[in-house]
Amino acid sequence: PTDKPLRVPLQDVYKIGGIGTVPVGRVETGIMKPGMNVTFAPAGVSTEVKSIEMHHESVPQALPGDNIGFNIKNISVKQIRRGNVCGDSKNDPPKPAGNFTAQVIIMNHPGEIRA
């Protein structure tokens, strides 16, 4: 959904010579555009998106469902990692959840499960 805040869970982070740090992930919600300021949670670091690439081609924006790599400024590969979530710094940036409720369905379990 493009009407929700930007969320991009990172699948990996690469360091590419001559380009810099390139996080890779799939846009789940929102729209990412070059020039945008983004924040990574829970790392808590912010930076500007220099460019966005999809299948080795530069694109003007990334929509939900797109698998993208995006170039960022002034952040090393050690500061962010797989599992971090990227979001727009200005519009509801991602933050760690205090708690959450999950519905779990166990399809097949060989032993006994106790609470």
XYZ file of all heavy atoms in Angstrom:
859
model
N 0.829 -1.206 0.000
C 0.000 0.000 0.000
C 0.868 1.263 0.000
O 1.720 1.418 0.864
C -0.805 -0.115 1.287
C -0.593 -1.506 1.792
C 0.611 -2.046 1.161
N 0.644 2.131 -0.955
C 1.459 3.348 -1.061
C 1.010 4.434 -0.095
O 1.753 5.380 0.145
C 1.397 3.906 -2.494
O 0.029 4.126 -2.841
C 2.025 2.959 -3.496
N -0.206 4.313 0.478
C -0.697 5.344 1.404
C -0.121 5.185 2.808
O -0.239 6.080 3.637
C -2.227 5.324 1.451
C -2.784 3.945 1.811
O -2.111 2.938 1.512
O -3.879 3.885 2.394
N 0.523 4.060 3.103
C 1.122 3.842 4.438
C 2.557 4.352 4.462
O 3.171 4.569 3.419
C 1.078 2.352 4.767
C -0.332 1.841 4.941
C -0.343 0.565 5.739
C -1.765 0.223 6.134
N -2.012 -1.184 6.164
N 3.144 4.535 5.671
C 4.534 5.008 5.759
C 5.518 4.015 5.137
O 5.256 2.813 5.113
C 4.799 5.124 7.262
C 3.471 5.063 7.918
C 2.531 4.365 6.980
N 6.646 4.536 4.656
C 7.670 3.704 4.013
C 8.271 2.703 4.994
O 8.677 3.061 6.091
C 8.789 4.602 3.467
C 9.985 3.875 2.852
C 9.578 3.174 1.564
C 11.111 4.838 2.575
N 8.318 1.438 4.566
C 8.982 0.385 5.339
C 9.733 -0.526 4.375
O 9.128 -1.107 3.466
C 7.976 -0.461 6.135
C 7.268 0.288 7.256
C 8.225 0.693 8.371
N 7.561 1.350 9.472
C 7.427 2.665 9.603
N 7.897 3.458 8.656
N 6.836 3.180 10.638
N 11.056 -0.635 4.576
C 11.890 -1.524 3.765
C 12.753 -2.373 4.706
O 13.775 -1.904 5.193
C 12.811 -0.730 2.801
C 13.612 -1.688 1.918
C 12.026 0.246 1.947
N 12.332 -3.619 5.014
C 13.198 -4.499 5.808
C 14.429 -4.876 4.980
O 14.298 -5.251 3.818
C 12.332 -5.738 6.066
C 10.936 -5.335 5.693
C 11.058 -4.233 4.691
N 15.615 -4.748 5.570
C 16.847 -5.003 4.823
C 17.144 -6.496 4.732
O 17.147 -7.192 5.743
C 18.024 -4.280 5.477
C 17.901 -2.759 5.599
C 19.208 -2.170 6.101
C 17.523 -2.124 4.281
N 17.402 -6.968 3.515
C 17.794 -8.365 3.319
C 19.303 -8.520 3.410
O 19.801 -9.566 3.781
C 17.309 -8.854 1.949
C 15.810 -8.966 1.878
C 15.302 -9.198 0.463
O 16.071 -9.288 -0.479
N 13.999 -9.260 0.318
N 20.038 -7.449 3.057
C 21.491 -7.486 3.113
C 22.041 -6.076 2.941
O 21.319 -5.181 2.509
C 22.054 -8.399 2.016
C 23.314 -9.131 2.472
O 23.998 -8.613 3.383
O 23.623 -10.189 1.916
N 23.307 -5.884 3.292
C 23.969 -4.591 3.103
C 25.324 -4.853 2.457
O 26.118 -5.644 2.955
C 24.175 -3.857 4.452
C 24.795 -2.497 4.221
C 22.858 -3.702 5.191
N 25.571 -4.204 1.320
C 26.816 -4.388 0.585
C 27.639 -3.115 0.595
O 27.096 -2.020 0.683
C 26.530 -4.776 -0.877
C 25.753 -6.060 -1.016
C 24.402 -6.041 -1.341
C 26.363 -7.293 -0.826
C 23.678 -7.215 -1.474
C 25.655 -8.471 -0.956
C 24.313 -8.422 -1.275
O 23.609 -9.589 -1.405
N 28.970 -3.296 0.465
C 29.867 -2.167 0.269
C 30.432 -2.317 -1.138
O 31.097 -3.300 -1.441
C 30.990 -2.180 1.304
C 31.914 -1.004 1.137
C 32.938 -0.979 2.243
C 33.555 0.354 2.224
N 34.789 0.690 2.314
N 30.129 -1.363 -2.002
C 30.561 -1.446 -3.390
C 31.527 -0.309 -3.671
O 31.205 0.868 -3.421
C 29.346 -1.384 -4.349
C 28.419 -2.573 -4.048
C 29.795 -1.398 -5.794
C 27.145 -2.594 -4.826
N 32.719 -0.663 -4.135
C 33.757 0.342 -4.401
C 33.289 1.365 -5.419
O 32.721 1.026 -6.444
N 33.539 2.646 -5.134
C 33.153 3.722 -6.035
C 31.718 4.178 -5.847
O 31.341 5.244 -6.292
N 30.906 3.366 -5.169
C 29.502 3.735 -4.922
C 29.278 3.971 -3.436
O 28.695 4.961 -3.044
C 28.544 2.636 -5.446
C 28.655 2.541 -6.971
C 27.112 2.941 -5.040
C 27.893 1.397 -7.573
N 29.763 3.040 -2.605
C 29.593 3.175 -1.158
C 28.718 2.075 -0.601
O 28.729 0.946 -1.087
N 27.927 2.425 0.400
C 27.081 1.457 1.093
C 25.761 1.285 0.339
O 25.101 2.265 0.000
C 26.804 1.937 2.528
O 28.056 2.189 3.163
C 26.056 0.895 3.328
N 25.391 0.021 0.090
C 24.162 -0.277 -0.658
C 23.312 -1.288 0.129
O 23.557 -2.486 0.076
C 24.479 -0.838 -2.063
C 23.184 -1.144 -2.824
C 25.347 0.111 -2.850
N 22.289 -0.790 0.868
C 21.349 -1.719 1.503
C 20.404 -2.286 0.442
O 20.067 -1.611 -0.526
C 20.562 -0.845 2.483
C 21.275 0.463 2.527
C 22.032 0.582 1.256
N 19.989 -3.548 0.638
C 19.105 -4.221 -0.314
C 17.894 -4.744 0.451
O 18.035 -5.304 1.533
C 19.848 -5.393 -0.991
C 18.927 -6.181 -1.888
C 21.043 -4.879 -1.776
N 16.712 -4.545 -0.122
C 15.503 -5.045 0.531
C 14.294 -4.896 -0.364
O 14.383 -4.401 -1.491
N 13.145 -5.310 0.160
C 11.888 -5.222 -0.594
C 11.016 -4.166 0.049
O 10.819 -4.167 1.266
C 11.185 -6.581 -0.537
C 9.857 -6.616 -1.255
C 9.354 -8.066 -1.311
N 8.064 -8.121 -1.967
C 6.910 -8.133 -1.305
N 6.878 -8.074 0.016
N 5.767 -8.200 -1.969
N 10.500 -3.261 -0.763
C 9.597 -2.221 -0.260
C 8.279 -2.899 0.120
O 7.625 -3.508 -0.717
C 9.344 -1.128 -1.331
C 8.405 -0.059 -0.782
C 10.653 -0.515 -1.794
N 7.914 -2.820 1.407
C 6.662 -3.426 1.872
C 5.513 -2.421 1.769
O 4.434 -2.753 1.292
C 6.810 -3.921 3.320
C 7.817 -5.038 3.496
C 7.424 -6.330 2.798
O 6.226 -6.594 2.592
O 8.330 -7.090 2.428
N 5.735 -1.195 2.262
C 4.711 -0.148 2.180
C 5.377 1.179 1.847
O 6.574 1.358 2.071
C 3.940 0.015 3.508
O 4.866 0.337 4.547
C 3.188 -1.239 3.887
N 4.591 2.107 1.318
C 5.104 3.446 1.024
C 5.849 3.518 -0.296
O 5.876 2.558 -1.071
N 6.437 4.698 -0.549
C 7.188 4.954 -1.776
C 8.541 5.535 -1.402
O 8.621 6.425 -0.557
C 6.440 5.952 -2.686
C 5.075 5.389 -3.092
C 7.255 6.262 -3.937
C 4.193 6.376 -3.833
N 9.624 5.015 -2.014
C 10.968 5.561 -1.779
C 11.414 6.295 -3.033
O 11.236 5.797 -4.140
C 11.960 4.455 -1.433
C 13.356 4.987 -1.138
S 14.572 3.679 -0.876
C 14.331 3.363 0.848
N 11.992 7.484 -2.824
C 12.505 8.273 -3.947
C 13.917 8.753 -3.619
O 14.239 8.965 -2.453
C 11.615 9.493 -4.191
C 10.208 9.136 -4.621
C 9.376 10.364 -4.883
C 7.987 9.967 -5.349
N 7.117 11.105 -5.590
N 14.759 8.925 -4.635
C 16.091 9.495 -4.397
C 15.962 10.894 -3.789
O 15.026 11.626 -4.098
C 16.712 9.561 -5.795
C 15.957 8.562 -6.605
C 14.564 8.555 -6.044
N 16.906 11.236 -2.897
C 16.867 12.532 -2.230
C 16.133 12.503 -0.902
O 16.201 13.446 -0.123
N 15.430 11.403 -0.642
C 14.676 11.245 0.598
C 15.614 11.040 1.788
O 16.656 10.412 1.641
C 13.839 9.976 0.443
C 12.470 10.016 0.917
S 11.721 8.409 0.496
C 10.088 8.778 0.999
N 15.256 11.561 2.966
C 15.994 11.243 4.183
C 15.350 10.027 4.815
O 14.130 10.012 5.021
C 15.974 12.417 5.161
C 17.101 13.385 4.896
O 18.046 13.064 4.190
N 16.998 14.580 5.439
N 16.166 9.005 5.115
C 15.629 7.775 5.699
C 16.299 7.473 7.037
O 17.418 7.896 7.294
C 15.804 6.564 4.745
C 14.941 6.723 3.508
C 17.252 6.353 4.363
N 15.571 6.738 7.877
C 16.064 6.309 9.191
C 16.035 4.790 9.240
O 15.094 4.169 8.742
C 15.154 6.880 10.302
O 15.161 8.298 10.218
C 15.646 6.471 11.683
N 17.077 4.211 9.845
C 17.144 2.761 10.009
C 16.874 2.427 11.470
O 17.516 2.977 12.365
C 18.524 2.236 9.607
C 18.824 2.411 8.140
C 19.450 3.551 7.682
C 18.451 1.444 7.220
C 19.723 3.721 6.335
C 18.717 1.606 5.870
C 19.351 2.742 5.426
N 15.910 1.531 11.719
C 15.620 1.090 13.080
C 15.973 -0.393 13.168
O 15.842 -1.106 12.187
C 14.133 1.294 13.381
N 16.435 -0.898 14.305
C 16.649 -0.173 15.557
C 18.008 0.522 15.658
O 18.351 1.015 16.724
C 16.529 -1.279 16.603
C 17.052 -2.493 15.895
C 16.657 -2.328 14.445
N 18.779 0.579 14.580
C 20.110 1.203 14.636
C 20.015 2.690 14.983
O 20.907 3.250 15.614
C 20.824 1.014 13.304
N 18.941 3.348 14.535
C 18.735 4.761 14.869
C 19.599 5.719 14.075
O 19.825 6.844 14.510
N 20.100 5.318 12.914
C 20.916 6.213 12.087
C 20.090 6.708 10.903
O 19.227 6.000 10.397
C 22.211 5.525 11.587
C 23.156 5.288 12.733
C 21.913 4.223 10.884
N 20.350 7.956 10.503
C 19.626 8.567 9.390
C 20.596 9.004 8.306
O 21.743 9.335 8.598
C 18.833 9.780 9.875
O 17.850 9.378 10.781
N 20.117 9.047 7.068
C 20.945 9.461 5.941
C 20.065 9.801 4.749
O 18.838 9.633 4.809
C 21.959 8.366 5.563
O 22.839 8.881 4.569
C 21.268 7.136 5.024
N 20.699 10.226 3.663
C 19.970 10.559 2.440
C 20.131 9.440 1.417
O 21.204 8.861 1.288
C 20.514 11.865 1.855
C 19.765 12.323 0.621
C 20.446 13.490 -0.079
O 21.272 14.171 0.533
O 20.147 13.687 -1.273
N 19.055 9.139 0.690
C 19.101 8.159 -0.396
C 19.654 8.862 -1.627
O 19.085 9.838 -2.102
C 17.694 7.594 -0.707
C 17.736 6.654 -1.900
C 17.133 6.881 0.501
N 20.813 8.383 -2.128
C 21.415 9.007 -3.313
C 20.738 8.528 -4.585
O 20.398 9.320 -5.450
C 22.917 8.708 -3.380
C 23.721 9.487 -2.358
C 25.193 9.454 -2.677
C 25.811 8.157 -2.209
N 27.270 8.161 -2.238
N 20.555 7.204 -4.724
C 19.887 6.657 -5.906
C 19.294 5.298 -5.567
O 19.664 4.674 -4.575
C 20.869 6.536 -7.068
O 21.852 5.570 -6.763
N 18.362 4.859 -6.411
C 17.688 3.574 -6.211
C 17.879 2.741 -7.477
O 17.703 3.249 -8.581
C 16.176 3.775 -5.959
C 15.958 4.684 -4.741
C 15.482 2.436 -5.755
C 14.521 5.130 -4.567
N 18.239 1.474 -7.293
C 18.412 0.585 -8.440
C 17.557 -0.658 -8.284
O 17.379 -1.170 -7.184
C 19.883 0.161 -8.582
C 20.763 1.270 -9.083
C 22.099 0.770 -9.610
O 22.308 -0.458 -9.626
O 22.909 1.607 -10.003
N 17.020 -1.096 -9.430
C 16.267 -2.341 -9.463
C 16.783 -3.127 -10.661
O 16.766 -2.610 -11.781
C 14.776 -2.032 -9.609
C 13.901 -3.211 -9.375
S 12.179 -2.790 -9.014
C 11.804 -1.546 -10.213
N 17.300 -4.322 -10.428
C 17.892 -5.161 -11.477
C 18.970 -4.403 -12.259
O 18.972 -4.382 -13.489
C 16.809 -5.691 -12.432
C 15.677 -6.357 -11.708
N 15.848 -7.473 -10.922
C 14.364 -6.045 -11.616
C 14.693 -7.821 -10.404
N 13.782 -6.973 -10.794
N 19.865 -3.732 -11.551
C 21.008 -2.995 -12.107
C 20.604 -1.812 -12.993
O 21.394 -1.342 -13.786
C 21.945 -3.934 -12.880
C 22.388 -5.100 -12.056
N 23.253 -4.971 -11.000
C 22.055 -6.418 -12.112
C 23.447 -6.154 -10.445
N 22.729 -7.043 -11.097
N 19.368 -1.342 -12.861
C 18.932 -0.154 -13.595
C 18.416 0.869 -12.604
O 17.655 0.542 -11.700
C 17.815 -0.509 -14.584
C 18.301 -1.323 -15.773
C 17.166 -1.683 -16.726
O 16.110 -1.025 -16.681
O 17.357 -2.625 -17.510
N 18.830 2.130 -12.794
C 18.389 3.202 -11.917
C 16.902 3.481 -12.147
O 16.441 3.509 -13.288
C 19.217 4.457 -12.203
O 19.108 5.334 -11.120
N 16.150 3.646 -11.054
C 14.713 3.927 -11.160
C 14.373 5.218 -10.408
O 15.033 5.553 -9.425
C 13.857 2.752 -10.621
C 13.967 1.539 -11.516
C 14.232 2.386 -9.197
N 13.344 5.968 -10.869
C 12.991 7.245 -10.226
C 12.276 7.084 -8.895
O 12.299 7.983 -8.061
C 12.089 7.935 -11.260
C 11.519 6.822 -12.074
C 12.559 5.730 -12.078
N 11.622 5.921 -8.675
C 10.988 5.651 -7.386
C 10.774 4.152 -7.230
O 10.795 3.414 -8.203
C 9.662 6.404 -7.259
C 8.578 5.918 -8.192
C 7.251 6.631 -7.951
O 7.205 7.703 -7.365
N 6.175 6.030 -8.414
N 10.598 3.733 -5.964
C 10.357 2.317 -5.682
C 9.003 2.176 -5.003
O 8.701 2.905 -4.054
C 11.457 1.777 -4.778
N 8.193 1.252 -5.502
C 6.839 1.032 -4.995
C 6.768 -0.289 -4.226
O 7.676 -1.117 -4.334
C 5.861 1.003 -6.173
C 5.811 2.278 -7.016
C 5.003 2.047 -8.279
C 5.242 3.428 -6.224
N 5.704 -0.503 -3.435
C 5.580 -1.766 -2.693
C 5.698 -2.981 -3.604
O 5.133 -3.004 -4.696
C 4.179 -1.667 -2.083
C 3.949 -0.207 -1.926
C 4.623 0.428 -3.104
N 6.488 -3.961 -3.165
C 6.718 -5.173 -3.943
C 8.029 -5.148 -4.708
O 8.493 -6.177 -5.167
N 8.644 -3.954 -4.849
C 9.901 -3.840 -5.583
C 11.081 -4.300 -4.738
O 11.210 -3.903 -3.577
C 10.154 -2.381 -6.005
C 9.190 -1.904 -7.083
O 8.465 -2.744 -7.638
O 9.188 -0.692 -7.369
N 11.937 -5.143 -5.314
C 13.192 -5.517 -4.665
C 14.248 -4.527 -5.145
O 14.524 -4.462 -6.335
C 13.599 -6.943 -5.028
C 12.756 -7.960 -4.285
O 12.742 -7.981 -3.067
N 12.028 -8.779 -5.015
N 14.803 -3.757 -4.214
C 15.687 -2.653 -4.598
C 17.010 -2.681 -3.850
O 17.130 -3.264 -2.778
C 15.013 -1.282 -4.330
C 14.627 -1.143 -2.847
C 13.811 -1.084 -5.229
C 14.287 0.267 -2.422
N 17.991 -2.032 -4.444
C 19.231 -1.682 -3.772
C 19.293 -0.171 -3.833
O 18.982 0.420 -4.864
N 19.649 0.488 -2.730
C 19.712 1.948 -2.762
C 21.019 2.439 -2.157
O 21.507 1.898 -1.170
C 18.490 2.598 -2.103
C 18.170 2.126 -0.703
C 18.489 2.890 0.396
C 17.526 0.914 -0.508
C 18.172 2.468 1.680
C 17.213 0.470 0.776
C 17.542 1.250 1.865
N 21.607 3.448 -2.811
C 22.889 3.995 -2.368
C 22.644 5.052 -1.311
O 21.772 5.911 -1.483
C 23.634 4.626 -3.546
C 23.772 3.676 -4.713
O 23.631 2.472 -4.557
N 24.029 4.212 -5.882
N 23.428 4.986 -0.226
C 23.260 5.960 0.850
C 24.589 6.616 1.197
O 25.651 6.074 0.920
C 22.638 5.304 2.108
C 23.434 4.078 2.542
C 21.195 4.929 1.857
C 22.963 3.459 3.819
N 24.498 7.806 1.809
C 25.676 8.591 2.149
C 26.078 8.410 3.610
O 25.221 8.242 4.476
C 25.382 10.094 1.961
C 25.167 10.532 0.548
C 24.893 12.033 0.539
C 24.744 12.540 -0.887
N 24.304 13.926 -0.917
N 27.374 8.500 3.876
C 27.931 8.652 5.228
C 27.523 7.589 6.243
O 27.457 7.869 7.422
C 27.570 10.033 5.810
C 27.970 11.159 4.879
O 28.963 11.057 4.155
N 27.198 12.218 4.880
N 27.235 6.374 5.795
C 26.931 5.281 6.731
C 27.758 4.080 6.321
O 27.785 3.715 5.144
C 25.427 4.943 6.732
C 24.676 6.073 7.439
C 25.169 3.619 7.417
C 23.244 5.796 7.715
N 28.459 3.482 7.286
C 29.290 2.325 6.964
C 28.454 1.048 7.035
O 27.366 1.027 7.624
C 30.473 2.233 7.931
O 30.058 1.637 9.132
N 28.982 -0.013 6.448
C 28.308 -1.313 6.448
C 28.138 -1.831 7.874
O 27.224 -2.597 8.159
C 29.119 -2.313 5.592
C 28.460 -3.675 5.558
C 29.264 -1.800 4.177
N 29.007 -1.407 8.791
C 28.958 -1.894 10.172
C 27.821 -1.252 10.969
O 27.408 -1.783 11.993
C 30.292 -1.623 10.868
C 31.430 -2.431 10.265
C 32.734 -2.181 10.999
C 33.837 -3.073 10.508
N 34.161 -2.904 9.087
N 27.314 -0.099 10.535
C 26.273 0.603 11.295
C 24.873 0.026 11.090
O 24.021 0.135 11.964
C 26.262 2.087 10.925
C 27.456 2.851 11.472
C 27.460 4.292 10.984
O 27.862 4.569 9.872
N 26.997 5.189 11.828
N 24.621 -0.559 9.920
C 23.309 -1.158 9.660
C 23.513 -2.607 9.230
O 24.590 -2.962 8.777
C 22.522 -0.381 8.579
C 23.338 -0.243 7.298
C 22.087 0.966 9.108
C 22.593 0.411 6.154
N 22.476 -3.423 9.396
C 22.617 -4.839 9.053
C 21.288 -5.455 8.647
O 20.243 -4.809 8.775
C 23.221 -5.606 10.213
C 22.523 -5.308 11.546
C 23.115 -6.061 12.661
N 22.168 -7.102 12.995
C 22.283 -7.923 14.023
N 23.289 -7.872 14.808
N 21.373 -8.828 14.261
N 21.370 -6.688 8.187
C 20.178 -7.446 7.804
C 19.185 -7.441 8.958
O 19.564 -7.620 10.112
C 20.602 -8.879 7.466
C 19.445 -9.798 7.131
C 19.969 -11.207 6.907
N 18.864 -12.144 6.867
C 18.266 -12.540 5.747
N 18.679 -12.084 4.598
N 17.255 -13.392 5.782
N 17.917 -7.228 8.651
C 16.887 -7.227 9.693
C 16.481 -5.835 10.119
O 15.386 -5.642 10.643
N 17.363 -4.831 9.897
C 16.972 -3.446 10.194
C 15.847 -3.045 9.250
O 15.703 -3.591 8.158
C 18.144 -2.485 10.005
C 19.191 -2.559 11.110
O 20.196 -1.890 11.061
N 18.961 -3.394 12.114
N 15.050 -2.068 9.679
C 13.949 -1.578 8.845
C 14.214 -0.123 8.499
O 14.528 0.684 9.363
C 12.596 -1.724 9.567
C 11.467 -1.123 8.735
C 12.301 -3.175 9.871
N 14.092 0.192 7.203
C 14.312 1.541 6.712
C 12.958 2.223 6.525
O 12.017 1.609 6.047
C 15.061 1.451 5.382
S 15.221 3.004 4.540
N 12.876 3.501 6.930
C 11.633 4.260 6.755
C 11.933 5.734 6.563
O 13.063 6.190 6.779
N 10.938 6.495 6.152
C 11.066 7.935 5.918
C 11.271 8.662 7.254
O 10.473 8.503 8.180
C 9.799 8.444 5.217
C 9.919 9.868 4.735
O 10.885 10.549 5.112
O 9.033 10.316 3.973
N 12.328 9.479 7.355
C 12.624 10.202 8.592
C 11.523 11.194 8.961
O 11.283 11.458 10.137
C 13.946 10.963 8.470
O 15.000 10.085 8.193
N 10.864 11.767 7.959
C 9.867 12.816 8.209
C 8.459 12.276 8.460
O 7.666 12.880 9.170
C 9.821 13.791 7.026
C 11.096 14.571 6.831
C 10.971 15.551 5.676
C 12.282 16.220 5.367
N 13.209 15.355 4.636
N 8.132 11.129 7.840
C 6.768 10.600 7.930
C 6.761 9.267 8.684
O 6.992 8.225 8.107
C 6.197 10.439 6.516
C 4.815 9.810 6.518
O 4.122 9.818 7.521
N 4.431 9.247 5.395
N 6.512 9.332 9.999
C 6.406 8.131 10.839
C 7.604 7.193 10.695
O 7.483 6.084 10.181
C 5.106 7.387 10.496
C 4.762 6.305 11.530
O 5.422 6.258 12.581
O 3.847 5.516 11.269
N 8.814 7.638 11.144
C 9.993 6.762 11.034
C 9.814 5.483 11.865
O 9.109 5.510 12.870
C 11.135 7.620 11.592
C 10.478 8.664 12.421
C 9.116 8.890 11.832
N 10.436 4.376 11.442
C 10.267 3.123 12.194
C 10.928 3.218 13.563
O 11.950 3.882 13.714
C 10.964 2.083 11.317
C 11.913 2.853 10.471
C 11.315 4.206 10.281
N 10.324 2.562 14.540
C 10.903 2.523 15.886
C 10.642 1.155 16.497
O 9.705 0.470 16.080
C 10.344 3.647 16.757
C 8.839 3.710 16.833
C 8.399 4.991 17.529
C 6.891 5.077 17.672
N 6.157 5.123 16.437
N 11.484 0.749 17.465
C 11.284 -0.573 18.079
C 9.921 -0.659 18.767
O 9.457 0.311 19.356
C 12.418 -0.668 19.108
C 13.430 0.340 18.672
C 12.665 1.427 17.977
N 9.276 -1.825 18.676
C 7.969 -2.032 19.308
C 8.161 -2.389 20.770
O 9.046 -3.173 21.113
C 7.214 -3.141 18.587
N 7.335 -1.814 21.619
C 7.366 -2.163 23.043
C 6.863 -3.574 23.259
O 7.422 -4.350 24.022
N 5.784 -3.921 22.566
C 5.239 -5.280 22.597
C 4.364 -5.471 21.369
O 4.035 -4.514 20.673
C 4.443 -5.532 23.884
C 3.282 -4.568 24.020
O 3.041 -3.728 23.158
N 2.544 -4.674 25.108
N 4.014 -6.704 21.095
C 3.102 -6.991 19.998
C 2.371 -8.294 20.282
O 2.811 -9.105 21.096
C 3.835 -7.053 18.645
C 4.876 -8.132 18.549
C 4.539 -9.397 18.101
C 6.188 -7.871 18.896
C 5.495 -10.401 18.007
C 7.154 -8.858 18.806
C 6.804 -10.129 18.366
N 1.242 -8.475 19.632
C 0.439 -9.677 19.796
C 0.510 -10.469 18.500
O 0.374 -9.898 17.422
C -1.031 -9.294 20.096
O -1.049 -8.436 21.235
C -1.859 -10.528 20.384
N 0.745 -11.767 18.629
C 0.849 -12.615 17.447
C -0.119 -13.777 17.558
O -0.368 -14.291 18.651
C 2.271 -13.142 17.309
N -0.682 -14.173 16.426
C -1.491 -15.380 16.370
C -0.629 -16.455 15.712
O -0.187 -16.279 14.579
C -2.756 -15.140 15.551
C -3.622 -16.374 15.475
C -4.880 -16.126 14.650
O -4.968 -15.161 13.906
N -5.848 -17.009 14.789
N -0.347 -17.518 16.452
C 0.541 -18.568 15.959
C -0.264 -19.835 15.693
O -1.044 -20.275 16.535
C 1.655 -18.866 16.998
C 2.580 -19.954 16.486
C 2.426 -17.606 17.312
N -0.079 -20.394 14.509
C -0.746 -21.651 14.166
C 0.337 -22.698 13.953
O 1.221 -22.524 13.120
C -1.596 -21.493 12.888
C -2.685 -20.440 13.120
C -2.193 -22.824 12.475
C -3.423 -20.051 11.872
N 0.279 -23.776 14.733
C 1.260 -24.854 14.610
C 0.642 -25.932 13.737
O -0.380 -26.526 14.080
C 1.657 -25.390 15.999
C 2.329 -24.260 16.787
C 2.584 -26.580 15.870
C 2.341 -24.454 18.255
N 1.264 -26.163 12.582
C 0.705 -27.094 11.610
C 0.976 -28.557 11.986
O 0.110 -29.392 11.891
C 1.290 -26.813 10.215
C 1.060 -25.398 9.730
S -0.659 -24.941 9.623
C -1.074 -25.618 8.046
N 2.208 -28.836 12.405
C 2.570 -30.219 12.695
C 3.727 -30.198 13.683
O 4.762 -29.603 13.417
C 2.990 -30.918 11.389
C 3.270 -32.389 11.608
O 3.012 -32.912 12.693
N 3.801 -33.048 10.603
N 3.541 -30.816 14.844
C 4.597 -30.828 15.849
C 4.720 -32.233 16.414
O 3.735 -32.826 16.845
C 4.269 -29.820 16.963
C 5.441 -29.562 17.857
N 5.753 -30.380 18.902
C 6.373 -28.596 17.838
C 6.840 -29.908 19.501
N 7.238 -28.822 18.879
N 5.944 -32.802 16.386
C 6.104 -34.204 16.782
C 5.897 -34.476 18.272
O 5.516 -35.564 18.633
C 7.536 -34.523 16.360
C 8.226 -33.205 16.290
C 7.189 -32.199 15.923
N 6.139 -33.497 19.138
C 6.040 -33.753 20.574
C 4.853 -33.030 21.205
O 3.879 -32.712 20.552
N 4.976 -32.785 22.513
C 3.929 -32.108 23.259
C 4.341 -30.648 23.444
O 5.486 -30.355 23.728
C 3.756 -32.783 24.621
C 2.641 -32.202 25.453
C 2.507 -32.898 26.802
O 3.066 -34.004 26.969
O 1.895 -32.321 27.684
N 3.374 -29.732 23.316
C 3.643 -28.302 23.512
C 2.896 -27.852 24.761
O 1.711 -28.108 24.911
C 3.176 -27.479 22.291
C 3.916 -27.941 21.044
C 3.396 -25.995 22.537
C 3.410 -27.315 19.776
N 3.620 -27.191 25.656
C 2.995 -26.678 26.880
C 3.224 -25.189 26.977
O 4.249 -24.673 26.538
C 3.603 -27.365 28.107
C 3.094 -28.772 28.270
C 3.526 -29.321 29.609
N 4.015 -30.687 29.360
C 5.136 -31.180 29.830
N 5.915 -30.437 30.588
N 5.498 -32.408 29.567
N 2.290 -24.500 27.625
C 2.430 -23.055 27.808
C 3.313 -22.737 28.994
O 3.390 -23.461 29.925
C 1.051 -22.426 28.009
